[in-house]
Each structure stands twice: as structure tokens, then as C-alpha cells.
Amino acid sequence: MKAVRLEAVGHIALREVGKPSAGPDDLLVRIEACGVCGTDRHLFHGEFPCKPPVTPGHEFSGIVEAVGAAVSGFSVGDRVTGDPNIACGRCKHCHAGRVNLCSNLNAIGIHRDGGFADYVVLPQKQAFLLPADLRPTHGAFCEPLACCLHGVDLAAIKPGASVAVLGGGVIGLLTVQLAKLAGATTIILSTRQASRRSLAEDIGATATVDPAAVDVIDAVAGSAGLVPGGVDVVFECAGVRDTVEQSMRLARAGGTVIIVGVVPQGMKVAFEPFDLLFRELKVLGSFLNPYTHGRAAQLIASGAIEIDRLISRQVTLEEAPSVIANPPAPGEVKVLVMPRSS
């Protein structure tokens, strides 16, 4: 079969490899769609820990082609989505129910071969059924939506709350929609891309700001801003220094900041602990998708989340290495890799 192989930091190529087989507890899944994530680019640049050589791709869905002898509840022909984050179930974090912090986390597409290929092996405990009539492209959004759900769970948004979302990529745009579903009545998105601001307003944002044109702090939390004094909850979804630093200045006294964006490993930011203390801010990291993948699959299947307008383009496996090795095109939200399996 064909697979995109990250052979070392900065080296990625399409290769012919052996088609894998399902173990006793596994499904062999023919990939229909796999999303390109910012994490895939971090892997390429050595900014996120992984174990090359490996086939990346952790936002995937597809059709079950074979099932292991011990598998139950899944059949050949089922459409499934895969939670890529495999917890050991034995460490202290797993025993405490915090599987996303597992000491022995083994992630599909990072530590073991993932979805930028014709096929992937998926443990049955990581698989979730999708409706047979669901568009194949929609299933690939379950994983990023599951990560956003965890952030929204941590934020504990109350009906009528005010929310700021920093970053207009797929994570930011999914978070806008989840904040609206959670009952937020003021939802402000900040991004430089005009097309993303327009899209955000169409799918739930009540206002948007352009950080290249205005001072975001003044525009949102200033005395004449959209929410004088700051918002209840800030979601940092861009994973860059400026937005991480802005996030703590946009929250009101007693507010909450959720760091969702994946920042490059080793990046440092500046903040004032005095401000953190005297305004009693709550700053939380939101890592991965503990127990949220099934809910994400249900939301996707329900049609409650706008998906089609988040898809910027579809590419083949042959095109995927170049897409991963280069920055997103201006205004691009999500690129899907669509293998051509026999």
C-alpha cells in the first residue's frame, strides 16, 4: 500500500509499504479521509515529540475491511472514526481517570503508524461507529472536535457567558461553534485572515477582530471595547507567542483561560504573575481528548456542527508530503488527504 512516511525531522515522502494486518483486538480500516493538523507540521519540523520513522495522520475515518478474532461490536463495512490516543490503563494517571496524561501514551500517527496511508490498524477500544450515510469527509473532524470538547468542558461555560477565541483555524472555528452550543451569548474571534473572520461570523461568532489592524486588548477588553474589563473565558487556539500572551490580558478578573493551541516545544512566553495573582485568573492547559471522542462522533453525526465550510481542499497521498512540509495557504482552514485505495 501507499503511506506517507516521516523518516526523520525534515524528511517526509510517499512510500510503498506492506499492507498491515489486524491483530486479534484490532480493526483494519481503509482510510477514506485524514485531516492535516498543525501537529503534523510540528512533527515535520521537530517541534513535537514523536518516533520516526512513522506514518503520521491522527484525524482519520474510514471503512472496516477486516476484524480481529477477538473483536465484537464491529463488522466489515462499518464506517468508523478512531481516537488516536491509546492509554496504557495501568499508570497512576490512567487510574485517576486522566487518560490524556498517561505516562505511556501511544498515539496513532505519532508513536505508531497513522492515517496518511491506504490503511491503518485501529484497536477496537479506540474505534467509534459512524452512520453509514455520513459523508466520509465529516468523519475526519471527530478528533479535532473531541479536543475542542475537552477545552470547552474545562471552561465550564455558563449560559450568557462571554468568550474570546484567539485563532481562526479549525480549532478556533470548532470552538466558536461549541461555545455557542454551550450557551455563550458573546463570542469574539480574533484572526488576521478576513475569510476566516467572515466564516466565524456565519457559524456563531457575534464579533471578530483583526489583530493586524487593531490592538486586540483594547478592542476586546478596553474601556471602549466589546466587553469592557474582559471576557469570562478565553480560548487560545493559535499556538503562537502573541496569542498566548494576549489570552491572560483578555480575561476578566476571576476569568478563565484555556490553552488549546499546540505551541512549539521549547517556546517561552512572558506574563506577569502579579496580574495572575491579583486578578485570580485560572489558566488551564487542555491536552488531547479524554473521553470526548464518542461525544464528538455523535455531534458530527447529528449535523449540529458546520463541517463542509471548514474544508479548504482535498488532496491525494501523493500531494500530502508537500502539504505537511509547507505552511497553510492564506485563509486555509482544513486540508483533507483522501487516499485512493484499491
Side-chain angles (χ1 to χ4, degrees):
M1 70 170 188
K2 293 178 180 178
V4 174
R5 300 290 288 169
L6 179 65
E7 296 170 335
V9 171
H11 295 277
I12 192 166
L14 184 66
R15 303 295 188 200
E16 289 283 344
V17 301
K19 181 179 175 180
S21 300
D25 297 303
D26 299 328
L27 312 176
L28 179 65
V29 177
R30 174 172 55 82
I31 297 295
E32 291 187 299
C34 186
V36 177
C37 173
T39 299
D40 297 313
R41 293 187 171 100
H42 286 311
L43 296 175
F44 174 77
H45 291 291
E47 298 168 340
F48 193 95
C50 73
K51 294 183 178 180
V54 69
T55 298
H58 56 276
E59 301 178 356
F60 59 85
S61 63
I63 302 297
V64 176
E65 182 162 292
V67 297
V71 170
S72 61
F74 296 94
S75 302
V76 171
D78 284 344
R79 175 166 283 122
V80 295
T81 170
D83 175 356
N85 301 302
I86 305 170
C88 72
R90 302 183 305 275
C91 71
K92 63 180 182 180
H93 300 300
C94 287
H95 286 170
R98 305 198 65 181
V99 292
N100 56 321
L101 305 181
C102 174
S103 300
N104 307 297
L105 193 69
N106 188 21
I108 298 171
I110 295 175
H111 306 108
R112 56 188 283 172
D113 290 339
F116 292 141
D118 289 325
Y119 297 90
V120 70
V121 172
L122 178 64
Q124 68 167 331
K125 69 173 186 173
Q126 304 299 123
F128 295 83
L129 285 169
L130 292 170
D133 59 353
L134 186 75
R135 293 185 186 180
T137 51
H138 288 200
F141 280 80
C142 291
E143 194 278 342
L145 183 63
C147 292
C148 296
L149 273 170
H150 180 45
V152 170
D153 287 349
L154 290 173
I157 296 170
K158 296 179 179 179
S162 56
V163 169
V165 178
L166 306 182
V170 70
I171 297 299
L173 292 168
L174 289 172
T175 298
V176 163
Q177 297 184 68
L178 291 176
K180 182 178 180 180
L181 289 175
T185 51
T186 298
I187 305 170
I188 305 160
L189 180 127
S190 173
T191 184
R192 289 181 170 84
Q193 304 284 345
S195 60
R196 292 179 177 182
R197 293 196 301 274
S198 176
L199 175 55
E201 291 176 1
D202 287 347
I203 62 176
T206 57
T208 58
V209 296
D210 178 1
V214 299
D215 182 294
V216 175
I217 309 300
D218 287 342
V220 174
S223 58
L226 294 164
V227 186
V231 298
D232 298 314
V233 178
V234 182
F235 291 96
E236 195 293 314
C237 299
V240 297
R241 181 178 289 107
D242 286 350
T243 49
V244 174
E245 292 176 350
Q246 287 169 1
S247 63
M248 287 175 257
R249 299 180 62 194
L250 289 171
R252 64 165 173 81
T256 299
V257 175
I258 307 293
I259 306 296
V260 185
V262 178
V263 299
Q265 191 175 26
M267 187 184 83
K268 304 293 191 297
V269 300
F271 71 96
E272 297 183 26
F274 180 91
D275 184 57
L276 194 71
L277 172 66
F278 277 77
R279 295 203 301 126
E280 200 171 77
L281 297 181
K282 181 188 292 185
V283 181
L284 298 172
S286 177
F287 186 54
L288 302 181
N289 58 342
Y291 306 114
T292 56
H293 202 96
R295 287 164 56 202
Q298 291 171 352
L299 268 174
I300 294 287
S302 75
I305 301 295
E306 171 59 47
I307 296 297
D308 287 331
R309 295 185 65 187
L310 305 185
I311 302 171
S312 301
R313 57 190 172 119
Q314 300 175 22
V315 301
T316 64
L317 281 172
E318 287 78 6
E319 297 169 292
S322 177
V323 172
I324 296 166
N326 288 285
E332 194 167 80
V333 178
K334 177 59 70 176
V335 177
L336 295 180
V337 177
M338 312 288 287
R340 296 176 295 186
S341 301
S342 58

